[in-house]
Amino acid sequence: MRAVSSPSAHVLLLENIHGSSHPQFREAGVEVHARATGLTEDALIEALNGLPGDGPVMVGIRSKTHVTARVLDAVPRLLAVGAFCIGTDQIDLAGARDRGVVVFNAPFSNTRSVAELIIGEIIMLSRHVFMRSAACHRGEWRKSAKGSNEVRGKTLGIVGYGHIGSQLSVLAEALGMQVMFYDIVGKLPLGNAQACGSLEELLERSDFVSLHVPDTALTRGMMGAAEIAQMRRGAYLLNASRGLVVDVDALRSALDEGRLAGAAIDVYPKEPKGAGQAFESVLQGSERAILTPHIGGSTEEAQANIGREVSIALTRYLSSGVTVGAKNLPHVDAPELTGGGCRISNIHRNVPGVLSAINNVVAASEINVASQHLATVASVGVLIVDLCIPRADPRVQSLREAIAGLSTSLRTRLL
Ligand code: NAI
């Protein structure tokens, strides 16, 4: 049970997080403490507890720093964690949820970067640019139109019509491609794109197949030997999703036998842990394959977007209690406070009777409620209560303390 109300907040930004986040924090009155490196568990605890004042603190990390249950327990002032990246495996998400600590990441900051790379590769594959460029480097002049095609009018089959797949759809249509897609969830087709009823139908009708699905039990191996065999002869396969989605041995055979004309692969079943390390793949040496080192989302723009996106989510949560986009808590949204009232933000254990207990406390305070916003998942709820009296009114502080004192309350703030 934690009660936080001080407005003077600090954020510790680790691992060289892009400076695009700083203006947002400053504008929200949050003091920024930036470091270039990651921190170990102990060093992180020390650094967070060493931040000035007794107000709320937030931490921004990328992949190297781990926010564990120990860190969460040792830093009671920790209000929120910003993963300035896509993955959140380095954070104990459930542990944070159970302690009322919200976690945000940046799921679509690099969407456009991936879609652009795929567009470039579709054209490079269609004109066999990489193999002809390699030949030029070797001193060979392989000038020929044979097997080279414009992409206009060709069919692009997109597997997974989420953030990246749908963005790619729009860009491909701008090039004059016909777009079809397959997704397990019903999706609104953008522009003239057409939904396919099955993966098989998409594979049979596409000149280019581009994969944009997550790594799940269903998608692992979804492009195996049988599916690759269902693709059109002379078609191209692109994978910038996750490495285990494609059976790379089967892909190599299809390329060697000329059944597929080419492939562009950015992700692999086994990838080196960091830059500069050795890389091995069965696809190496195939001149039909464009291989890139998981750089689909790696652009300066994506890094800047991540800085902005996560800092906006963190500061919005700090000032208004809104959890839209949170990775570990239900998403509650509420308009900005206007009209001189104030707001109580409460994260609670979602057990029977919790709301009536909170509402009984509010009713006993005799403060008029302007509005309430609630979102719950099985174990936890996020509640915003807007009150009709100003923050400075002493009755509001007493109400916050009474709500924070309920055994179900995990974190209660006055905003
Ligand atoms: P998203 O979650 O927005 O979209 C994924 C889509 O795949 C959803 O529409 C979902 O319904 C669909 N889907 C899930 N299972 C499916 C199945 N079995 N068959 C057909 N459709 C299925 O994800 P987003 O942001 O578009 O990312 C897609 C992939 O790209 C992810 O695997 C992500 O890890 C990867 N990625 C790769 C990057 C790179 O650097 N190469 C950078 C960013 C993302």
Side-chain angles (χ1 to χ4, degrees):
M1 204 173 9
R2 298 168 181 183
V4 179
S5 61
S6 169
S8 138
H10 295 264
V11 64
L12 177 65
L13 297 180
L14 303 173
E15 304 183 53
N16 242 344
I17 284 166
H18 200 280
S20 61
S21 66
H22 295 196
Q24 181 66 30
F25 285 123
R26 278 196 214 102
E27 216 170 282
V30 179
E31 198 172 321
V32 174
H33 307 260
R35 299 193 190 193
T37 58
L39 289 177
T40 61
E41 211 180 31
D42 285 331
L44 179 59
I45 292 170
E46 198 185 325
L48 286 171
N49 283 333
L51 290 173
D54 59 359
V57 298
M58 304 185 286
V59 64
I61 58 169
R62 291 168 72 180
S63 58
K64 292 197 185 91
T65 308
H66 289 245
V67 180
T68 60
R70 222 183 115 226
V71 173
L72 294 164
D73 281 335
V75 189
R77 292 163 67 196
L78 187 62
L79 183 74
V81 179
F84 285 74
C85 50
I86 315 297
T88 48
D89 293 348
Q90 71 284 32
I91 302 164
D92 181 350
L93 289 178
R97 180 197 61 212
D98 295 343
R99 292 163 178 84
V101 176
V102 62
V103 177
F104 293 102
N105 68 338
F108 37 78
S109 292
N110 57 12
T111 298
R112 173 73 185 209
S113 303
V114 181
E116 283 192 11
L117 181 69
I118 294 293
I119 288 289
E121 288 178 337
I122 287 172
I123 298 173
M124 295 297 111
L125 285 170
S126 199
R127 305 291 291 273
H128 305 292
V129 166
F130 276 63
M131 67 168 82
R132 284 174 177 161
S133 170
C136 279
H137 282 285
R138 290 192 303 267
E140 297 167 27
W141 193 246
R142 280 165 66 175
K143 179 172 166 63
S144 162
K146 199 167 183 306
S148 284
N149 296 101
E150 291 184 354
V151 300
R152 179 170 46 170
K154 303 296 180 300
T155 299
L156 168 63
I158 298 173
V159 183
Y161 205 65
H163 292 121
I164 298 171
S166 55
Q167 177 81 201
L168 173 63
S169 170
V170 172
L171 297 181
E173 282 202 340
L175 284 173
M177 299 187 82
Q178 317 274 342
V179 174
M180 34 192 28
F181 67 87
Y182 168 69
D183 199 297
I184 44 167
V185 174
K187 295 279 169 131
L188 173 74
L190 298 181
N192 301 312
Q194 286 172 31
C196 284
S198 68
L199 178 62
E200 191 179 359
E201 182 192 345
L202 178 137
L203 297 176
E204 282 169 0
R205 295 175 62 187
S206 300
D207 300 303
F208 298 84
V209 172
S210 194
L211 307 174
H212 300 287
V213 289
D215 181 29
T216 67
L218 271 184
T219 62
R220 261 168 244 145
M222 86 185 285
M223 285 304 292
E227 289 75 19
I228 290 171
Q230 280 164 4
M231 290 175 64
R232 283 183 172 181
R233 192 171 181 85
Y236 300 88
L237 179 65
L238 299 100
N239 185 20
S241 63
R242 297 293 286 268
L244 291 171
V245 175
V246 175
D247 177 340
V248 280
D249 292 304
L251 173 60
R252 176 71 199 238
S253 302
L255 292 171
D256 287 350
E257 291 161 19
R259 284 185 279 125
L260 291 190
I265 304 294
D266 189 44
V267 289
Y268 306 86
K270 264 194 185 167
E271 294 182 8
K273 284 213 162 58
Q277 293 187 1
F279 163 66
E280 268 183 47
S281 167
V282 67
L283 297 169
Q284 282 165 331
S286 166
E287 66 167 7
R288 294 180 185 274
I290 299 175
L291 305 184
T292 47
H294 202 146
I295 48 153
S298 304
T299 62
E300 298 282 351
E301 287 82 358
Q303 288 306 312
N305 287 343
I306 287 171
R308 276 190 293 270
E309 195 181 315
V310 181
S311 59
I312 287 170
L314 287 171
T315 51
R316 210 169 158 222
Y317 174 65
L318 177 74
S319 65
S320 68
V322 166
T323 53
V324 173
K327 191 73 187 164
N328 67 334
L329 284 177
H331 294 181
V332 73
D333 200 359
E336 286 292 313
L337 262 179
T338 50
C342 66
R343 173 172 293 177
I344 287 183
S345 141
N346 167 263
I347 301 175
H348 54 257
R349 285 192 289 112
N350 188 23
V351 294
V354 59
L355 269 193
S356 55
I358 294 172
N359 282 331
N360 286 341
V361 172
V362 176
S365 75
E366 294 186 354
I367 301 172
N368 203 16
V369 171
S371 62
Q372 283 193 337
H373 305 265
L374 172 73
T376 60
V377 289
S379 65
V380 70
V382 181
L383 175 69
I384 286 176
V385 184
D386 286 351
L387 303 168
C388 294
I389 60 174
R391 195 177 189 280
D393 190 311
R395 286 178 295 159
V396 179
Q397 191 56 260
S398 309
L399 175 60
R400 180 192 67 79
E401 277 162 22
I403 296 175
L406 294 171
S407 61
T408 43
S409 288
L410 297 168
R411 187 178 288 268
T412 306
R413 295 187 298 139
L414 178 55
L415 308 171

